[in-house]
Amino acid sequence: MLKNQDHRVAVAPMMDWTDRHCRFFHRQLTTRALLYTEMVVADAIIHGAREKLLAFDGVEHPVALQLGGSDPAKLAEAARIGEAFGYDEINLNVGCPSDRVQSGMFGACLMKVPDLVADCVAAMKAAVNIPVTVKCRIGVDEQDPEPALDALADGVFDAGADALWVHARKAWLEGLSPKENRDIPPLDYDRVYRLKGRKQNKFIGINGGVQSLEEVRAHLGHVDGAMLGRAAYHTPGILAGVDAAFYGATPGTFDFASLIDAMARYAARHIEQGGRLGHVTRHMVGLFHGLPGARRYRQILSTDATRPGAGPDVLKTAFAAVELDRAAEAA
């Protein structure tokens, strides 16, 4: 079992969002929360451009690699590669409901085959020395979440999983889009709490609809960890309070000057390596949500930062539009 205090707060893996630039930015806001990659398919890691898929900045630690797949041997090989790249954890996706994962027999459809999921976990555990975890739903389609989640949890823990993160709603593989699957199936936090009641000595984390640090704290009264997803992405300033609220850091005003410098230096390196400023700044648009100057900040990052040839000076101009004293107080 993972140490509860180490991974009590995490930023959820989110396709097209939690890339390396997003994670670097989030790490400037919290030094302790566990960060996750987007899901990366095992076949792509084995046969594709590994450096492009897996490289990350050392400042991102602790960072977990989320894998997609259903072949135990391929997942074991991908896990070995991920461990060699320096990831702190390997996570298996058993929750994504997109058409892509259904066609590839991975993601949420694996909820229907818990024995296969257990085989995948066992293979990965045998292949690496770092924690192997699973992220799932409470069920899919017409499954009864009571036996479905218990079967999945029993199987993966018997196979050696170090933690189970549960998105507390069903996935509907037929009739709902991936976007609708994030909102329409009702949340059932109590189902995850009941699982924790059965698995007192196992790490159970919760995900889905968590909007604030107050909600994180409430969940931690029932389970071992809580994931912030869209709230962390759309209003990333929420992460600036994580270390003091949950990891014993000294409360104080957030140092936005250091954040500006770190992101400007990072953006400059990315541009020097052939990237574009917009690759970095697209993840930063919601930082000052609701604060004086936030609208102008968003305008600059959404327009000037996306133009060819844009450099780190644009980022500094955007920050200058915000009343940073008010922002620091809010953080």
Side-chain angles (χ1 to χ4, degrees), residues 16-232:
D16 299 321
W17 287 357
T18 51
D19 64 16
R20 60 183 302 183
H21 310 306
C22 176
R23 299 192 306 269
F24 183 93
F25 169 52
H26 284 174
R27 184 55 75 215
Q28 308 312 305
L29 299 166
T30 168
T31 64
R32 298 293 299 277
L34 176 62
L35 304 181
Y36 278 83
T37 69
E38 306 169 87
M39 181 185 70
V40 187
V41 178
D43 273 325
I45 292 174
I46 295 169
H47 303 294
R50 295 176 186 175
E51 188 70 22
K52 180 178 179 180
L53 291 169
L54 298 180
F56 64 95
D57 192 292
V59 76
E60 294 174 38
H61 291 293
V63 57
L65 170 64
Q66 187 182 66
L67 297 178
S70 58
D71 182 301
K74 290 180 178 179
L75 285 166
E77 177 62 18
R80 278 192 291 267
I81 295 168
E83 182 180 39
F85 265 80
Y87 284 95
D88 300 294
E89 172 187 318
I90 303 296
N91 178 267
L92 178 62
N93 184 319
V94 188
C96 182
S98 75
D99 294 339
R100 179 185 171 206
V101 301
Q102 291 183 58
S103 64
M105 185 53 187
F106 50 95
C109 58
L110 291 176
M111 291 293 300
K112 297 179 178 180
V113 284
D115 290 345
L116 175 58
V117 177
D119 289 343
C120 292
V121 169
M124 290 188 289
K125 283 293 293 183
V128 299
N129 295 311
I130 55 177
V132 172
T133 67
V134 174
K135 187 170 184 289
C136 69
R137 294 281 184 131
I138 60 173
V140 295
D141 297 336
E142 300 298 338
Q143 280 185 330
D144 181 344
E146 292 298 326
L149 184 57
D150 281 349
L152 191 286
D154 289 346
V156 300
F157 282 125
D158 287 347
D162 295 281
L164 179 65
W165 291 93
V166 185
H167 186 151
R169 66 173 102 232
K170 273 189 173 184
W172 286 94
L173 303 179
E174 300 291 339
L176 291 182
S177 70
K179 183 178 185 298
E180 290 169 330
N181 263 293
R182 294 194 293 268
D183 295 299
I184 293 177
L187 286 160
D188 188 353
Y189 295 135
D190 286 340
R191 177 64 191 95
V192 186
Y193 299 164
R194 290 195 296 276
L195 176 65
K196 178 58 187 177
R198 286 188 63 242
K199 299 289 185 183
Q200 289 290 323
N201 296 320
K202 302 296 184 182
F203 185 104
I204 304 293
I206 202 164
N207 172 227
V210 183
Q211 298 294 317
S212 68
L213 298 189
E214 289 74 21
E215 291 180 26
V216 168
R217 190 177 300 281
H219 284 304
L220 292 179
H222 302 275
V223 293
D224 303 303
M227 274 184 171
L228 290 159
R230 282 172 289 167

Side-chain angles (χ1 to χ4, degrees), residues 277-292:
L277 181 64
H279 297 158
V280 177
T281 57
R282 74 184 185 96
H283 304 296
M284 302 174 63
V285 174
L287 178 60
F288 298 113
H289 180 75
L291 293 172

